[in-house]
Amino acid sequence: MHTLCSRLVAKSSLRNICVQPIVLQSTQTQTRPTNKNEEKSQASNKSNSFVQNIFRGVVDTTQVLPYPNVLNEEQKETLNLLVPLAERVLAEQNDPLKNDALEHVPDHTLNALKDVGGFGLQVPEEYGGAGLNSTQYGRLTEVIGANDLGLGVFLTGHQGIGFKGILIVGTDAQKEKYLPDLAAGNQMAAFALTEPASGSDASSISTRAELSEDGKFWVMNGAKIWITGGGLADVFTVFAKTPVTDENGTTKDKMTAFIVERKFGGVSNGPPEKKMGIKCSNTAEVYFDNTPIPVENVLGGVGNGFKVAMQILNNGRFGMGTSLCGTMRQVITKTAEHVTNRVQFGSRLDTFGTIQEKLARMAMYQYANESMAYMVSGTMDNGYQDYQLEAAVSKIFSSEAAWFVTDEAIQILGGMGFMRDCGLEKVMRDLRIFKIFEGTNDILRLFIALTGMQFAGAHLKELQKAVNVALSMSWIGKDSVANFGILMEEASKRTKSGLGLGANNLPEKVHPNLAEPASVLSQDISTFGSSVEKILMKHGKDVINQQFLLNRIANAAIDIYVATSVLSRCSSSLEQGLESAHHEELMAKVWCSEAHVRILKNLDMLKDPTSLSNFSLMAKISEGVCSKVQPVQANPLGF
């Protein structure tokens, strides 16, 4: 019976394959790509990125199962030495509330960090750094995140993004020249991209650099705003528009990255900005007035600046997730100490159901974030290059999880949590920027949805090509086997979906105790892929303008990746027989159960008439407010 059903669904799926791509074809102009473009397209269709593949309804477990175990014994020993050292130095030499009041980090704190190599954690040992991999670096950022987020931003502005470009795309000569002093803390670095008229739209920068007549220097003019370390930096990674002539002789402006030294001349900065939080980190405007930059200080090649910027930000975003693991752990510890000692109405606070629910959710958010953050760092350390969506998910989820956990902590502590001496109000103020900088969460949600859908759309085009061959009966030739393989792969995927099996290989790869939530998540991934395909079919290229829908798609993708990370980590803990394994299993099951509800809710909204109508009404409400430049209605009292 099962075999018969499979054959029937397979026939139906093949029929769907031969119909649906034709609908896609009817909405797009078809042009024959050059061989070069075709090869590039085919290469871009291949990826082991878990997040990219779920947009096709496919589970690729290459990067997520088993849970990454990337540290050898020597690296573990190094961490065992560095973590307690970092904790001791910060406890003894850093005062977060004092830093906040002073609005800078005292020299004795900076010197203590320099003495233990805190300014060049990922710089190779040959250049004077600690040579840590991403996971080791992440664990140390967790220590800093637990102590002082302002100090964490100060250090991240220097090594997380400030000189990260030199580290990942710099030439040997550039590394030899700059990394030793930067790693030692003898020089400070800053990342200069944002401008007054270009926040999230990085490609719209107006800072320019023109090549001198003798071809030896680039001359830069422009201004940057909100630059972390801008008033202290000796070395800047700066992005500017430059004229680039292509092979056809056409000149266009393209972004180029430069290594700019303050001592080159023409570099100045404004006063430190007055900020809501992270007050001890220096933030300032930076100006470039006919600044001469040697041609050898181009970073990553002329015209490749946007790519370099994205590489730096993608590489650096994972550190936010690990840092906020420490923040949440510290906040939960403070909260647990309070509820187990505070007595109200004759009972300890931890015996009340409301407090239990809050504390459990705080713990689950921290566990989920920890699982995801070290999944991303492990993916990077395992040598995978395609993790941009995973890094974006990590940035979004960690910043919002930490905000939720800290908000709940203040609520539980009540008036004490609101007081400055408690320290939580500072954490809350510091946290607010994390949803904004290094790519706002709103923009990153659109980035996740559109990049994932582009990946899925490329596969649909590939499928469409195979269908066209099938319909023309052109099965003879060297491409026939490849086209047939594409069709059969798609038929197999849709057959499983039709039988309700989904991408059902997750249960086989997790611990038996987690087979049920893994099975549900597999079906969610299949449903997600189908939903994405329907949106692509319906809207075509106009999907870029469907931000209400894109946000729901991104939210579902975030939940899927985080839940997968939780299952992967918990499976590893169960298999190792860790003391905390049973507790982790409880958190994993509740987290995945609630994630399933959120995923289906977001996907249902893509087609729910009421939700779609509400989206349209909200657009009109927004138009009204913007037209009036204030709330449209008058006060109910009439004056």
Side-chain angles (χ1 to χ4, degrees):
M1 181 66 181
H2 180 77
T3 303
L4 177 59
C5 288
S6 297
R7 289 175 179 171
L8 290 173
V9 177
K11 285 184 179 180
S12 175
S13 297
L14 281 169
R15 189 159 52 246
N16 289 337
I17 290 172
C18 292
V19 173
Q20 290 180 345
I22 297 175
V23 177
L24 181 67
Q25 183 179 12
S26 68
T27 62
Q28 298 178 355
T29 303
Q30 298 297 309
T31 57
R32 177 66 183 170
T34 64
N35 289 336
K36 183 178 180 180
N37 288 338
E38 193 172 62
E39 288 173 5
K40 182 178 179 181
S41 176
Q42 289 172 352
S44 66
N45 292 349
K46 306 299 181 184
S47 172
N48 289 126
S49 164
F50 179 84
V51 178
Q52 282 201 23
N53 277 288
I54 64 174
F55 279 81
R56 296 178 55 217
V58 171
V59 175
D60 187 330
T61 59
T62 305
Q63 294 183 4
V64 297
L65 284 164
Y67 195 72
N69 180 18
V70 296
L71 300 181
N72 58 36
E73 288 305 313
E74 182 179 348
Q75 290 170 323
K76 290 178 182 177
E77 289 176 7
T78 299
L79 267 188
N80 282 333
L81 291 172
L82 291 179
V83 169
L85 175 62
E87 290 174 338
R88 179 177 60 79
V89 168
L90 290 174
E92 295 176 358
Q93 301 292 334
N94 189 58
D95 185 338
L97 292 180
K98 184 177 180 180
N99 293 351
D100 190 61
L102 292 173
E103 299 190 1
H104 69 263
V105 184
D107 288 342
H108 72 85
T109 301
L110 297 179
N111 290 332
L113 290 169
K114 290 177 185 178
D115 289 342
V116 295
F119 282 71
L121 295 176
Q122 286 196 282
V123 174
E125 293 181 32
E126 63 197 270
Y127 299 116
L132 303 185
N133 67 11
S134 295
T135 298
Q136 290 173 302
Y137 175 77
R139 182 64 184 91
L140 289 178
T141 66
E142 190 175 336
V143 176
I144 299 170
N147 181 272
D148 187 353
L149 285 172
L151 177 62
V153 171
F154 179 98
L155 292 171
T156 299
H158 170 66
Q159 63 187 313
I161 56 175
F163 67 76
K164 182 60 71 75
I166 301 174
L167 192 61
I168 60 179
V169 300
T171 64
D172 288 341
Q174 289 169 343
K175 292 177 181 179
E176 290 171 5
K177 180 177 181 180
Y178 291 107
L179 290 181
D181 279 339
L182 291 168
N186 296 330
Q187 291 187 325
M188 294 296 296
F191 178 86
L193 174 61
T194 305
E195 298 185 2
S198 64
S200 297
D201 183 10
S203 63
S204 66
I205 62 171
S206 57
T207 296
R208 292 194 60 81
E210 301 281 351
L211 193 62
S212 61
E213 291 185 4
D214 61 9
K216 295 181 179 180
F217 296 90
W218 289 89
V219 180
M220 180 181 290
N221 286 280
K224 303 291 183 177
I225 62 171
W226 304 327
I227 305 306
T228 300
L232 305 175
D234 306 287
V235 178
F236 299 84
T237 300
V238 188
F239 298 85
K241 286 288 182 66
T242 57
V244 177
T245 303
D246 62 22
E247 56 190 17
N248 298 320
T250 303
T251 300
K252 294 182 179 180
D253 281 344
K254 289 190 176 182
M255 191 188 297
T256 298
F258 296 91
I259 303 171
V260 182
E261 297 183 42
R262 187 181 289 271
K263 68 181 182 182
F264 286 165
V267 180
S268 60
N269 60 268
E273 300 284 359
K274 296 296 183 180
K275 307 188 294 288
M276 173 183 177
I278 59 167
K279 292 185 177 183
C280 70
S281 66
N282 177 275
T283 307
E285 295 185 8
V286 181
Y287 315 107
F288 303 95
D289 183 11
N290 289 323
T291 300
I293 307 163
V295 291
E296 58 267 26
N297 275 39
V298 168
L299 186 61
V302 175
N304 295 328
F306 187 81
K307 181 180 178 181
V308 171
M310 293 306 102
Q311 284 181 281
I312 294 170
L313 291 172
N314 287 334
N315 190 280
R317 281 182 183 132
F318 85 95
M320 188 181 298
T322 53
S323 176
L324 294 179
C325 287
T327 305
M328 285 186 270
R329 186 176 285 272
Q330 181 66 19
V331 168
I332 291 169
T333 299
K334 187 183 291 286
T335 307
E337 289 172 351
H338 176 76
V339 301
T340 53
N341 286 285
R342 178 80 164 170
V343 176
Q344 292 288 282
F345 307 107
S347 299
R348 285 190 344 190
L349 289 186
D350 63 316
T351 65
F352 294 105
T354 298
I355 300 299
Q356 290 170 346
E357 181 180 356
K358 286 180 180 292
L359 200 56
R361 290 196 186 284
M362 292 164 68
M364 288 189 294
Y365 267 96
Q366 196 277 340
Y367 180 73
N369 186 70
E370 205 169 60
S371 303
M372 172 207 59
Y374 286 99
M375 176 73 82
V376 175
S377 70
T379 297
M380 296 168 67
D381 287 334
N382 276 324
Y384 296 108
Q385 298 299 313
D386 200 354
Y387 56 82
Q388 58 178 346
L389 295 190
E390 286 78 1
V393 169
S394 178
K395 192 273 183 184
I396 293 171
F397 183 81
S398 64
S399 60
E400 294 177 0
W403 181 266
F404 169 81
V405 167
T406 306
D407 185 50
E408 288 288 69
I410 292 174
Q411 188 68 23
I412 291 172
L413 269 71
M416 283 180 280
F418 193 70
M419 296 299 121
R420 184 175 184 272
D421 287 347
C422 176
L424 288 178
E425 66 86 28
K426 175 189 178 298
V427 174
M428 198 81 181
R429 286 188 287 104
D430 288 347
L431 278 174
R432 191 58 189 87
I433 191 62
F434 282 76
K435 293 197 276 187
I436 299 173
F437 66 3
E438 293 194 32
T440 71
N441 289 8
D442 311 274
I443 293 297
L444 286 179
R445 277 187 164 87
L446 299 178
F447 169 71
I448 289 168
L450 289 171
T451 303
M453 295 179 83
Q454 182 182 39
F455 181 75
H459 279 272
L460 283 175
K461 288 181 180 179
E462 189 177 70
L463 179 62
Q464 175 180 301
K465 176 186 172 184
V467 169
N468 288 340
V469 173
L471 292 176
S472 66
M473 302 304 289
S474 301
W475 290 93
I476 301 175
K478 63 179 181 179
D479 293 331
S480 61
V481 175
N483 289 321
F484 184 73
I486 292 169
L487 288 173
M488 292 311 297
E489 178 187 359
E490 190 68 17
S492 174
K493 186 181 83 171
R494 298 188 185 214
T495 296
K496 289 179 180 179
S497 180
L499 291 171
L501 299 176
N504 208 27
N505 62 343
L506 272 180
E508 305 165 6
K509 298 191 176 185
V510 300
H511 190 276
N513 291 11
L514 301 174
E516 184 177 345
S519 179
V520 172
L521 184 57
S522 291
Q523 189 56 48
D524 287 343
I525 292 171
S526 181
T527 303
F528 178 77
S530 298
S531 299
V532 166
E533 183 176 313
K534 289 172 184 175
I535 292 296
L536 282 170
M537 293 292 186
K538 180 177 179 180
H539 295 285
K541 292 181 179 180
D542 189 56
V543 73
I544 194 172
N545 297 315
Q546 306 299 318
Q547 292 191 4
F548 286 114
L549 304 181
L550 295 174
N551 279 320
R552 274 73 201 172
I553 289 169
N555 286 338
I558 292 167
D559 258 322
I560 289 171
Y561 183 61
V562 175
T564 304
S565 299
V566 165
L567 288 176
S568 179
R569 180 194 179 178
C570 187
S571 288
S572 177
S573 297
L574 287 166
E575 288 161 4
Q576 293 177 65
L578 298 184
E579 184 179 348
S580 62
H582 176 64
H583 184 76
E584 292 182 43
E585 183 182 341
L586 297 178
M587 291 193 289
K589 286 181 175 178
V590 176
W591 182 268
C592 290
S593 174
E594 297 194 341
H596 167 67
V597 174
R598 292 192 298 269
I599 291 165
L600 292 188
K601 180 181 178 181
N602 276 302
L603 296 181
D604 285 344
M605 292 178 78
L606 300 178
K607 59 182 184 296
D608 175 54
T610 301
S611 296
L612 297 176
S613 174
N614 287 343
F615 292 157
S616 297
L617 294 177
M618 281 189 275
K620 293 179 180 179
I621 293 169
S622 176
E623 289 171 6
V625 174
C626 292
S627 175
K628 286 272 191 177
V629 200
Q630 64 178 7
V632 175
Q633 77 285 354
N635 184 280
L637 300 181
F639 57 89

